Amino acid sequence: MTDEMSTRKINSFQKQKNKQEMQKMVVSFALMIFFTLVAFALVMLEVPSTYVIPIILLLAFVQVSFQFFYFMHLKDKGHEVPSQIIYGGVFITVMVALTFTVITWW
Amino acid sequence: MGMTSAQKRGFGATLWDWLTTVDHKKIGILYLAGGGFFFLLGGLEAVIIRIQLISPENNFISAGLYNEMITMHGTTMIFLAAMPILLGLMNFIMPLQIGARDVAFPFLNSLGFWLFLFGGVLLNLSWFTGAPDAGWTNYAPLSIQSPGHGVDFYIMGLQLSGAGTLMGGINFIVTIVLMRAPGMTYMRMPLFTWTTFVASILILFAFPALTVGLFLMMFDRMFGSAFFDAALGGNAVIWQHLFWIFGHPEVYILILPVFGVFSEVFPTFAKKRLFGYTAMVFATFLIAFLGFMVWAHHMFTVGLGPVANSIFAVATMAIAVPTGIKIFNWLFTLWGGSIKINSAMLWSLAFIPSFTIGGMTGVMLASAVADYQYHDSYFVIGHFHYVIVGGTVFGILAGLHYWWPKMFGKYLHEGLGQISFWTFFVGFHLTFFIQHFLGLMGMPRRYWVFLENQGLDTGNLISSIGAFFMSFGVIVFLINIIYTTIKGKKAPRDAWGSGRTLEWTISSPPVHYNYKQLPLVRGLDPLWIEKMEGNKKMTPAEPVDEIHMPNGSILPLIMTIGFTIASYGFIYQTGNKYWLIAVYAGMAIALISMLTRSLKDDHGHHISKEELERVGD
């Protein structure tokens, strides 16, 4: 009897958590589409490239973060090791890109 | 399916079993066999190189063939011998050490093996039509201008086997993160598991750079792009960067797993806990981390400028610190231990001074100023053979002697083991020590001949004699394998009597589900803990119950055959467009196999409780 009740409680807790999770996903998905539209709009309105490039890079950075934290669950508990590995990959990619920029292309 | 039915099977059924296997132990053995075959091939190439250089202005092979020989020796030894043999050891041992019944993705494991094997075979088939001849580093623009299809075989062969390695790395990471036995926390994992984990992370991050580089090279050579062609606005240095962003972590992929092997062998035969376990884990990570930011030390003479050179020089020298920590920890593990010397231990003990010499010349090379003198000379050849042979090959042989009883249930013959050790060890130092001095006297690497009376004659003769000693050692080792297979002494579970880790708690060789009941791990060196408390065996962490195991599949092999046919198509379509048929056909075979794999459910099979109880322990 008590067992059943506690399971039901856990289930409703889980349900609410899932619902919240779903909300977050939908919101971040909508934002991502919005950012993409903004990026396209800026280019089509022929805003000077001095502004467009940094703005698009910023939007891209936010989108990548959404991707990592919401869709790839880096923020979740129990995902510490995969997160560390992703951060390692990001670190190495950034470093390689930076080195190429500085010593080969500059 | 017990042992009895396995013995009754005919040749066809046995072959089918090996072609379709997803058992990590069988795939491990396949890796060892495939890697061993390529090791012999690469060794043969090495001997041919040394015969050519045995005397001044020798004419044993032509200049063109010599270029192919050095290219294939390097490529084969790194990609097709050393790394697959290590992957074989990891595959067999790591799941046993963490108390798992298989790796996380058994199907992927099998696919990874077949891709490696067919990549290697593809690359070596180029011998019949002209092998790659631009050096194992395949620098542009030399590789872009190399006539014939040699370099195309290099590109496609490495692309295939590289994909296989990447799959292996991902598989091991997931296995270690998710499939450790109850109680096996990260800081209770054996050092070999740790180094497998870190080496797999290195594979995950380093191989994409190679993949990208190979793709760019493929487009340049086959489809008329100009990534590396300066005349059309490309940049040849980018290949060097991409190659070494992969290539430098690669040398740590080769050395870290054998650091793990030594960290298992020393405690077992010194009967002491590994000294400084935490420091060892930390040093492993530090080496991996630093290993990613030193690649340009291969390019000091390219002209990156003094600032870039200095940064990479300092970072390179810093790697000596964590490596030194490891060397001292091994020495302290031995200190005061009750040491038993056998072949596995001999290879491990010989590693310490040999590898330290390689590390010392490494720090010398790290000095950018001095490197202008050493670059592209035999000094470099001496250096990297000291770390790769004195480190990786010694480690592989130590690991094979140590785990052979676990893998095959029989001890390698001790006398033969010592003969092969001593001849190989003496031959190794004879071959490569003198090469440092040859290099300092000005002998450049990759040259077909050297002139008389320039002080290089005796040194080269000594070096070649050493190569024959090493060959003798390898032949004795092969005889040892055959002898052991026919009439070797049977090994019990705890083959050395002083095993500390989980693999020594199960039968030799292990049953295909490894553990009837998953063990409960109560600390570092779980078997040793139980022994100290007078327990005969591990405490189980679960009751005897049904075991779920994956089914075998022929699809990985078919998929790989598809990719291999497509690779042939890519190589030859530059001359004749009809070869595009091979590209489409091969890709179709591969994609249909993938589709079959995705759409057809395969839930694996269960081993019933009754059967487990019948088998006994």
Side-chain angles (χ1 to χ4, degrees), chain A residues 81 85 88-89 91-92 95-96 99-100 103-105, chain B residues 173 177 186 205 235 238 241 245 289 292-293 295 308:
Chain A
V81 177
I85 294 176
F91 172 75
I92 285 158
M95 190 186 59
V96 166
T99 324
F100 265 55
I103 64 182
T104 310
W105 293 323
Chain B
I173 293 175
V177 172
Y186 281 107
F205 292 161
N235 187 343
I238 291 176
H241 276 297
I245 287 168
F289 177 72
F292 262 102
M293 37 197 83
W295 77 86

Side-chain angles (χ1 to χ4, degrees), chain B residues 170-481:
Chain B
I170 293 170
N171 208 345
F172 293 149
I173 293 175
V174 180
T175 307
I176 293 172
V177 172
L178 293 180
M179 295 176 67
R180 284 163 291 131
M184 173 75 76
T185 58
Y186 281 107
M187 290 313 276
R188 287 176 181 177
M189 294 196 313
L191 237 281
F192 182 69
T193 302
W194 262 118
T195 54
T196 299
F197 184 57
V198 176
S200 303
I201 295 176
L202 286 179
I203 289 176
L204 177 65
F205 292 161
F207 268 75
L210 177 72
T211 309
V212 169
L214 288 173
F215 268 127
L216 298 184
M217 179 73 75
M218 178 182 169
F219 294 150
D220 267 19
R221 277 190 64 98
M222 298 175 195
F223 303 111
S225 65
F227 293 106
F228 305 126
D229 186 352
L232 291 171
N235 187 343
V237 181
I238 291 176
W239 167 266
Q240 296 193 23
H241 276 297
L242 286 173
F243 187 85
W244 288 116
I245 287 168
F246 147 76
H248 198 80
E250 165 71 16
V251 305
Y252 293 102
I253 295 167
L254 292 179
I255 203 65
L256 286 180
V258 306
F259 282 177
V261 172
F262 298 126
S263 305
E264 303 292 322
V265 172
F266 285 135
T268 303
F269 295 117
K271 288 199 173 181
K272 266 181 72 190
R273 186 195 145 124
L274 181 70
F275 188 92
Y277 171 86
T278 320
M280 288 297 243
V281 174
F282 181 70
T284 309
F285 268 102
L286 205 57
I287 292 174
F289 177 72
L290 290 173
F292 262 102
M293 37 197 83
V294 297
W295 77 86
H297 68 212
H298 298 270
M299 302 164 61
F300 280 151
T301 58
V302 164
L304 302 175
V307 177
N309 275 7
S310 315
I311 292 171
F312 282 103
V314 172
T316 306
M317 291 177 193
I319 296 191
V321 177
T323 316
I325 292 175
K326 281 180 168 282
I327 298 278
F328 281 109
N329 277 337
W330 288 317
L331 293 177
F332 286 134
T333 307
L334 293 168
W335 190 311
S338 112
I339 294 174
K340 189 171 120 193
I341 303 274
N342 56 23
S343 331
M345 195 60 167
L346 278 174
W347 286 111
S348 309
L349 290 171
F351 150 83
I352 293 182
S354 309
F355 186 80
T356 308
I357 293 173
M360 186 196 68
T361 54
V363 177
M364 290 169 74
L365 284 161
S367 163
V369 192
D371 184 68
Y372 274 82
Q373 206 59 238
Y374 307 137
H375 190 85
D376 260 350
S377 77
Y378 259 76
F379 188 84
V380 179
I381 305 282
H383 158 70
F384 71 68
H385 281 91
Y386 259 79
V387 285
I388 294 180
V389 181
T392 308
V393 176
F394 282 21
I396 285 170
L397 286 159
L400 287 176
H401 281 90
Y402 179 60
W403 280 310
W404 201 273
K406 182 49 64 190
M407 294 192 285
F408 300 100
K410 288 171 176 176
Y411 291 99
L412 282 171
H413 189 268
E414 187 52 38
L416 288 173
Q418 300 215 356
I419 293 173
S420 65
F421 166 75
W422 284 111
T423 46
F424 193 95
F425 178 70
V426 171
F428 160 69
H429 284 282
L430 217 50
T431 310
F432 296 112
F433 195 72
I434 196 88
Q435 289 187 358
H436 294 102
F437 298 97
L438 288 172
L440 292 178
M441 285 188 282
M443 183 167 162
R445 72 189 279 200
R446 291 174 172 152
Y447 275 35
W448 171 50
V449 285
F450 58 94
L451 294 178
E452 222 170 335
N453 294 326
Q454 294 188 324
L456 304 175
D457 308 16
T458 323
N460 273 302
L461 178 65
I462 292 173
S463 187
S464 296
I465 292 172
F468 298 133
F469 273 84
M470 289 168 82
S471 314
F472 181 80
V474 172
I475 292 168
V476 174
F477 182 65
L478 289 180
I479 294 171
N480 194 357
I481 292 176

Side-chain angles (χ1 to χ4, degrees), chain B residues 114-171:
Chain B
W114 291 113
L115 281 172
F116 139 67
L117 187 72
F118 277 72
V121 170
L122 178 79
L123 181 55
N124 274 283
L125 283 178
S126 70
W127 276 119
F128 296 109
T129 52
D133 56 359
W136 86 279
T137 51
N138 205 40
Y139 274 6
L142 180 63
S143 52
I144 300 292
Q145 284 163 6
S146 166
H149 285 297
V151 172
D152 301 331
F153 275 98
Y154 174 97
I155 295 167
M156 299 317 294
L158 289 193
Q159 198 68 281
L160 278 187
S161 70
T165 309
L166 194 52
M167 286 173 196
I170 293 170
N171 208 345

Side-chain angles (χ1 to χ4, degrees), chain A residues 61-105:
Chain A
F61 180 77
V62 177
Q63 289 209 17
V64 167
S65 315
F66 274 143
Q67 176 73 26
F68 277 151
F69 290 101
Y70 285 96
F71 294 106
M72 289 168 76
H73 300 278
L74 288 202
K75 64 177 171 39
D76 294 6
K77 270 216 180 93
H79 289 219
E80 287 82 9
V81 177
S83 323
Q84 294 295 326
I85 294 176
I86 297 263
Y87 296 145
V90 170
F91 172 75
I92 285 158
T93 318
V94 169
M95 190 186 59
V96 166
L98 194 72
T99 324
F100 265 55
T101 318
V102 174
I103 64 182
T104 310
W105 293 323

